[in-house]
Amino acid sequence: MANSRISFVSNILIPILTGIITLVLFLLFRPENAGALFYTNMIYTLLLEGFLFGFLSLLQKESKNISGAFYSIISVGAIYYIIFGSGWMIAYSLLLTAILSYKVYIAVHSIIFLLFIIVGSIVTRTDNSYHEKTEEQTQQMRSIRFYTEKMNQLASKYLQQGIDKDTDLSQWDGYKVLGTLITKINHLTPSIFRNDMAVKQLSNMLENCEKIVAELEEVPDSDLNMIDRKMKRFASNAIDEITLLRNLSRG
């Protein structure tokens, strides 16, 4: 409740009061021959105040889609825009009205605003590109963890089925090579998942490993050596494929 009151005061009440006070001061000191310049400055001042309070309100809202660097750059740009905009307004009104025309005054304001928009657009586009790449890398890292964890589960199941058959497969070649394969998968670079063929091959590895683990459950104890050789052959071939995929991703 307290936070909502503070938010109401800072985001709504203070900006409205500031605008009213600014309007009253302008009208209070309005010259008798107030022309376009006076009303332009009054409206522009109100717009600057609205821009400032809107910007401050934006800074209070955290967003996962906006980076800290974006806030920093936009903050500096907004401050510079307010300084240059108000500085030009004051300088022209007090010193340059006799030298430069009203059209030049408006043109300079337009240029300052246009520069701010251009810089803001570039920064926004760069920040969006950064977030897209970051999100892509995050998804790729999740894919690596998925394949690693899935293979670990299959390896544990393979080992447990050996125990169920009163055999310790942890020292057998098939299980050892399978462990090497899991390490290779865990050390894959995220960029490899940009290749659809690589994703398909990894999925096929999981499927083939699942078949061997399922086959182990069905065979008699006398055929354990055969399954171990099959697992070793599968894991060795998969390691070669992983190495090939890594080389292709680097290229």
Side-chain angles (χ1 to χ4, degrees), residues 41 166 174:
N41 288 344
D166 298 323

Side-chain angles (χ1 to χ4, degrees), residues 4 11 49 60 74 81 102 109 117 136 165 191 199 214 248:
S4 61
N11 295 332
E49 290 176 350
Q60 294 175 1
I74 289 297
Y81 173 70
Y102 176 74
H109 270 308
I117 293 298
E136 181 184 10
K165 296 177 182 294
S191 60
V199 176
L248 290 174

Side-chain angles (χ1 to χ4, degrees), residues 15-34:
I16 291 176
L17 290 176
T18 301
I20 292 174
I21 292 172
T22 300
L23 186 61
V24 169
L25 289 175
F26 263 95
L27 295 177
L28 185 63
F29 292 98
R30 178 179 57 181
E32 294 182 359
N33 57 342

Side-chain angles (χ1 to χ4, degrees), residues 87-102:
W88 171 242
M89 178 179 67
I90 294 171
Y92 181 83
S93 300
L94 298 179
L95 303 173
L96 302 175
T97 52
I99 302 175
L100 300 175
S101 67
Y102 176 74

Side-chain angles (χ1 to χ4, degrees), residues 170-226:
S170 63
Q171 301 303 317
W172 290 33
D173 290 341
Y175 183 79
K176 290 180 179 179
V177 181
L178 181 59
T180 303
L181 172 61
I182 294 172
T183 302
K184 292 285 186 181
I185 294 175
N186 189 45
H187 287 86
L188 285 173
T189 56
S191 60
I192 200 170
F193 289 94
R194 296 174 187 167
N195 188 331
D196 292 337
M197 180 184 69
V199 176
K200 184 177 180 180
Q201 285 185 272
L202 287 170
S203 298
N204 289 338
M205 288 178 195
L206 283 180
E207 184 178 344
N208 292 333
C209 188
E210 286 176 344
K211 289 180 180 178
I212 296 174
V213 173
E215 189 176 350
L216 174 62
E217 188 176 6
E218 303 296 333
V219 300
D221 295 354
S222 58
D223 289 339
L224 287 179
N225 284 322
M226 181 268 293

Side-chain angles (χ1 to χ4, degrees), residues 58-187:
L58 176 65
L59 289 181
Q60 294 175 1
K61 300 177 180 179
E62 296 183 357
S63 174
K64 294 181 180 179
N65 297 323
I66 301 177
S67 65
F70 175 82
Y71 276 125
S72 299
I73 296 173
I74 289 297
S75 297
V76 173
I79 292 171
Y80 274 124
Y81 173 70
I82 293 172
I83 291 174
F84 282 117
S86 57
W88 171 242
M89 178 179 67
I90 294 171
Y92 181 83
S93 300
L94 298 179
L95 303 173
L96 302 175
T97 52
I99 302 175
L100 300 175
S101 67
Y102 176 74
K103 290 182 180 180
V104 174
Y105 174 65
I106 297 299
V108 173
H109 270 308
S110 301
I111 291 172
I112 294 173
F113 181 72
L114 182 61
L115 289 174
F116 174 75
I117 293 298
I118 291 174
V119 172
S121 299
I122 294 173
V123 172
T124 301
R125 184 173 300 177
T126 303
D127 189 71
N128 288 337
S129 177
Y130 165 78
H131 273 285
E132 288 175 0
K133 291 180 180 178
T134 302
E135 181 63 25
E136 181 184 10
Q137 289 180 348
T138 300
Q139 293 296 333
Q140 291 166 352
M141 290 301 297
R142 288 173 181 167
S143 297
I144 292 175
R145 287 197 296 270
F146 166 77
Y147 284 105
T148 302
E149 288 301 318
K150 189 65 176 177
M151 290 299 290
N152 273 322
Q153 291 175 8
L154 291 173
S156 297
K157 188 175 181 180
Y158 182 79
L159 192 62
Q160 183 59 48
Q161 288 181 2
I163 294 174
D164 294 341
K165 296 177 182 294
D166 298 323
T167 304
D168 182 9
L169 296 177
S170 63
Q171 301 303 317
W172 290 33
D173 290 341
Y175 183 79
K176 290 180 179 179
V177 181
L178 181 59
T180 303
L181 172 61
I182 294 172
T183 302
K184 292 285 186 181
I185 294 175
N186 189 45
H187 287 86

